[in-house]
Amino acid sequence: MGMQCDFDTMTDRRNTNCGKWDTMDQKYGRKDMIHLGVADMDFKAPDPILDGLRDVLDMGVLGYTDLSDKFFESIQRWYRKQYGLEIPREWIVFCPRINIASSICVDTYTEKGDGVIMNTPAYGPLQSAIIKNDRRMLSSQLSRNADRYELDFDHMESLVDERTKMLIMCNPHNPTGRSWTKEELIRTAEFCKKNDLILFSDEIHGDLTAEGVKHNTFLSATEDINERLILATSPAKTFNIPGVIVSYMIIPNRELREQIAATIDRIGMHNPTIFAVTAVEKAYTECDEWYEAVKKYIDENEKFTRDYFAKHFEAFHILPREGTYLLWIDYTRTGMSEEELEQWFLKEANVSVYMGSIFGEAGRGYIRLNLASPRSLLKEAYERMRTAWRF
């Protein structure tokens, strides 16, 4: 018998301290709004993970927990299966969250006042890792070429001075949904080498690519990129377990790894939570079937959304989705300002999405919409929008 993969049943997550439902209800002062902003899925995690966590609870003592051999072996298995890569165990460094990883890497590898390049529009916490550590955020806006966002290497080059130390990438890119090609990765690697930049690549959405799209990891970009690469990732998005709080970095260069180990030691970031190790082991070794099924369901949700919008909301232009379960949608044809559209969503449609300026000024004119919910919930949200639509 195959694994149970039920993505159609909506789980009521209200009144569970839920970041997607309770926090957004509080923010907007509503109890009946549909939230399509926060990037987690409304799907139950795969059974092997849930069963593994139940075993932890049934044991009953919620004590200190350490990393196991299986933790490293399951990550190695995943990289072998997904990308055909052999990852030496010592390259793998535990970190609770990627937002912690990005911040401690900026803090460890650069000095106050140094420049860090980032492509915009950009996921907020990656920007915060630069700004909150008193570094200069050197913003390079992605150029939109018809419907395709592209890296602007000439502009990136123009930002470099003697105090530019690092480039932070998001691959696949949140919020635009681009999955960078091998050629783009090679050019990026060469750019970093030429300018002696450390490359931090957030690849948390890497497993979640659209049908026919292959995720290219920076680990296989060029022979020598590994000497300056920190790759940060997690099973949190792939298997919808962000609340377990677990991620890891892959740092091939021993010197860079030792520097981060010293930071981790200094801030006392040692043990994972009691659930983290089990969740990673189960996710990466027993949930392949669920993983394939969830990707397919998200692809079908995208098709449903595109068909619906083409019929009812012609003024919304949905850009191509290569990676992530998020849609990046251009609303400039509505003629509305961001403030007007946001009010329409909240007051009239009773649906919340992320407005593009959350990702910086380069995101203005767009919204980000999360596809990873039961189709019935998306349908209800779109029906609400259609009923209120008058443009």
Side-chain angles (χ1 to χ4, degrees), residues 38-163:
V38 175
D40 69 9
M41 306 186 193
D42 285 308
F43 306 139
K44 284 189 172 167
D47 286 338
I49 297 177
L50 298 178
D51 292 341
L53 301 189
R54 283 189 195 100
D55 290 343
V56 172
L57 285 178
D58 289 346
M59 184 269 294
V61 181
L62 302 183
Y64 288 120
T65 307
D66 282 316
L67 302 174
S68 65
D69 289 341
K70 272 186 167 164
F71 174 82
F72 296 98
E73 287 159 10
S74 58
I75 292 169
Q76 288 171 313
R77 176 207 175 253
W78 190 251
Y79 268 80
R80 201 175 294 127
K81 175 183 87 78
Q82 293 288 94
Y83 310 112
L85 289 172
E86 292 297 332
I87 306 294
R89 174 181 171 138
E90 63 271 17
W91 291 10
I92 302 167
V93 179
F94 163 78
C95 186
R97 302 186 55 140
I98 290 182
N99 297 346
I100 295 174
S102 58
S103 186
I104 65 175
C105 284
V106 168
D107 183 48
T108 301
Y109 301 130
T110 67
E111 307 280 328
K112 287 194 174 175
D114 282 349
V116 181
I117 299 174
M118 188 154 192
N119 305 112
T120 54
Y123 172 60
L126 289 176
Q127 300 187 58
S128 299
I130 303 169
I131 295 157
K132 290 179 181 175
N133 281 302
D134 299 322
R135 277 36 169 194
R136 287 177 298 134
M137 162 126 172
L138 304 175
S139 170
S140 179
Q141 191 168 330
L142 296 170
S143 53
R144 188 173 149 189
N145 185 357
D147 266 359
R148 191 175 177 81
Y149 276 97
E150 291 174 349
L151 297 161
D152 185 343
F153 286 100
D154 290 340
H155 185 255
M156 285 160 68
E157 196 69 58
S158 75
L159 296 172
V160 177
D161 64 22
E162 67 285 350
R163 291 207 60 187

Side-chain angles (χ1 to χ4, degrees), residues 275-292:
F275 294 122
V277 172
T278 300
V280 171
E281 288 172 9
K282 297 289 185 183
Y284 281 162
T285 62
E286 295 179 30
C287 300
D288 295 7
E289 197 181 324
W290 188 94
Y291 164 66
E292 294 300 336

Side-chain angles (χ1 to χ4, degrees), residues 120-121 328 331 338 355-367:
T120 54
W328 190 238
Y331 63 80
E338 183 172 273
M355 307 312 288
S357 69
I358 290 175
F359 307 99
E361 277 307 303
R364 199 171 281 275
Y366 301 84
I367 55 171

